[in-house]
Amino acid sequence: MWRDLAPIGRDAQSKGYRRYAWTPADADCRTWFKEQAEARGLTYELDRNGNQWAWLGDPTAGDAVVTGSHLDSVPDGGPFDGPLGVVSSFAALDELRRRGAQFTKPLAITNFGDEEGARFGLACVGSRLAAGQLTVPAARRLRDADGVTLPEAMERAGYDPTAIGPDPERLARIGAFVELHVEQGRALDLSGDPVGIASAIWPHGRWRFDFAGEANHAGTTRLVDRRDPMLPYAETVLAARREAELARAVATFGKIAVEPNGVNAIPSLVRGWLDSRAADQESLDQVVAGVEKAAREHAERHGVDLTVVRESFTPVVEFEHALRDELAAILGAGAERRVPVLGTGAGHDAGILSGSIPTAMLFVRNPTGVSHSPAEFAAEDDCVAGVLALADVLEGLACR
Ligand code: GLV
Ligand code: MN
Ligand code: MN
């Protein structure tokens, strides 16, 4: 499975993955998923929001145990963020069949669409729509960098976008959702464990800062006559770092758009996207308020207009304790030591769905902690340990 997926959407130069929602690379990943489902005799479904499902047992019976993740990527992402969870789900099912497991509940494997939000700017679109956390009008307004709307992109990919929206009946069939994911940090490396269980996801969001100034000639415009939006933008990036340090949070400007984007022109517009996350809401509010205050002061000083728009927000997620404890009991039974329980600053579909159904996550050790980069890595032994842990969990939840 890993070898089949490896070339899809991989950029020859950067060696990173560019699997954006509703692009040909995404279509290839989706074809792969469907083939995996069919090869195992599972019932394949594409839901109204473009999420893929592969069912063992009756999808309508209720109290289903569902596992899976996503196949899309950030720009130049690594191979593990997302695909490890989907591949491990199929591998865990193979393992359970090998063990002769008797399922008493339906089991499904999922690929949630557009988890990273790389194309339309909003993460977890597939699960947000299903859970009613993204309204249909707001989803219809989403546009990519070329102005293509989400419904247009879905249509161009051969998918009918007219039925997108809340899917409570489908979610009501699920008793538990478990997402396996490569760890995006070094907690497991430091504790010396191949697999961990998630406790919580930090609150996080994306804010767009538009600094509007005046385009002019880079050679002939006196410094005092300029309204250069790059200057307050640069000050804002530095302020974000300071505010994050103060609040023991994180804040990143990782994406920027400049107009007209000419070497010899003072920009008319600098648009920067802030991603900020913190352990608690108060700290996150403090960071964003501090960054915005600094941005306003510097914009005013340079005669630049500033607009700040919150493009997405996910409150803190505390995974359901009962399910988390059940996973810990399943994985701890017979083991020499307890499986570590850790929090994360990364967002996941499991976090979105936790508002509607009991969800839990397993993390697989990442020796460097690097993620959202081609250097993202997990050792094969640890991936196998992840598959076996997931198989144990699914057996514990769906075969009793
Ligand atoms: C998704 O991986 C996110 O945390 O932004
Ligand atoms: Mn990610
Ligand atoms: Mn992910």
Side-chain angles (χ1 to χ4, degrees):
M1 286 188 276
W2 206 245
R3 262 194 307 275
D4 289 349
L5 277 173
I8 301 177
R10 192 171 195 211
D11 184 71
Q13 264 193 327
S14 71
K15 308 276 191 262
Y17 287 95
R18 300 179 180 177
R19 296 167 174 161
Y20 310 140
W22 307 112
T23 61
D26 187 41
D28 289 349
C29 288
R30 288 166 173 276
T31 301
W32 173 88
F33 182 95
K34 187 162 184 271
E35 285 169 0
Q36 296 302 317
E38 286 167 355
R40 290 171 176 78
L42 307 175
T43 307
Y44 174 77
E45 280 184 340
L46 184 65
D47 74 19
R48 50 196 294 188
N49 295 306
N51 306 308
Q52 295 180 294
W53 301 74
W55 286 91
L56 176 71
D58 179 1
T60 61
D63 203 20
V65 175
V66 180
T67 183
S69 191
H70 62 96
L71 293 173
D72 69 313
S73 79
V74 295
D76 285 335
F80 294 88
D81 179 357
L84 184 65
V86 181
V87 167
S88 297
S89 299
F90 284 116
L93 172 60
D94 295 345
E95 165 67 11
L96 289 177
R97 283 177 158 168
R98 198 189 58 75
R99 292 181 192 173
Q102 299 294 314
F103 291 89
T104 53
K105 295 178 182 176
L107 179 83
I109 297 171
T110 54
N111 166 31
F112 282 102
D114 200 1
E115 194 270 355
E116 297 287 8
R119 181 167 177 190
F120 298 100
L122 178 67
C124 300
V125 169
S127 57
R128 270 186 216 274
L129 274 168
Q133 291 184 29
L134 168 62
T135 66
V136 176
R140 291 193 186 286
R141 282 197 299 272
L142 290 174
R143 278 179 193 277
D144 71 8
D146 298 323
V148 179
T149 66
L150 174 66
E152 283 164 357
M154 289 171 90
E155 214 153 14
R156 286 181 199 176
Y159 182 77
D160 173 15
T162 53
I164 59 170
D167 206 349
E169 295 87 14
R170 184 174 299 274
L171 295 188
R173 300 173 187 165
I174 304 173
F177 174 67
V178 182
E179 179 171 1
L180 177 146
H181 205 279
V182 67
E183 198 202 341
Q184 297 168 293
R186 282 190 59 219
L188 292 173
D189 182 52
L190 294 171
S191 70
D193 296 281
V195 175
I197 300 171
S199 55
I201 298 179
W202 284 15
H204 56 282
R206 298 176 183 188
W207 290 261
R208 197 185 78 222
F209 285 63
D210 289 347
F211 296 89
E214 186 178 38
N216 211 330
H217 197 291
T220 61
T221 316
R222 298 186 317 157
L223 294 181
V224 291
D225 293 335
R226 296 180 181 206
R227 292 176 52 222
D228 181 351
M230 190 61 83
L231 300 173
Y233 170 70
E235 300 278 9
T236 304
V237 175
L238 299 175
R241 173 68 184 228
R242 274 196 306 275
E243 293 295 334
E245 271 168 3
L246 280 173
R248 302 170 69 118
V250 288
T252 310
F253 277 93
K255 176 173 164 179
I256 178 171
V258 180
E259 291 176 16
N261 210 19
V263 179
N264 54 357
I266 296 160
S268 56
L269 179 83
V270 174
R271 175 169 283 164
W273 281 264
L274 170 72
D275 177 310
S276 188
R277 312 176 189 217
D280 58 79
Q281 185 63 50
E282 204 185 353
S283 305
L284 181 57
D285 290 345
Q286 182 190 322
V287 172
V288 178
V291 177
E292 184 167 345
K293 182 166 176 279
R296 294 216 177 278
E297 284 167 8
H298 289 291
E300 197 180 329
R301 196 150 61 78
H302 290 284
V304 164
D305 297 324
L306 172 68
T307 315
V308 181
V309 180
R310 187 177 87 174
E311 291 197 333
S312 74
F313 179 70
T314 309
V316 67
V317 171
E318 181 75 33
F319 287 109
E320 205 206 51
H321 290 192
L323 184 60
R324 187 183 83 189
D325 293 348
E326 211 170 341
L327 263 62
I330 293 168
L331 298 178
E336 283 157 28
R337 47 189 292 193
R338 276 168 16 102
V339 179
V341 178
L342 39 131
T344 177
H348 302 283
D349 294 307
I352 300 298
L353 296 176
S354 70
S356 310
I357 51 178
T359 63
M361 290 190 76
L362 292 176
F363 291 128
V364 171
R365 174 162 52 193
N366 174 340
T368 61
V370 171
S371 188
H372 286 187
S373 147
E376 181 182 79
F377 181 69
E380 193 168 328
D381 290 4
D382 288 348
C383 295
V384 171
V387 169
L388 295 177
L390 182 60
D392 289 346
V393 164
L394 299 177
E395 189 170 20
L397 296 176
C399 302
R400 56 184 176 192

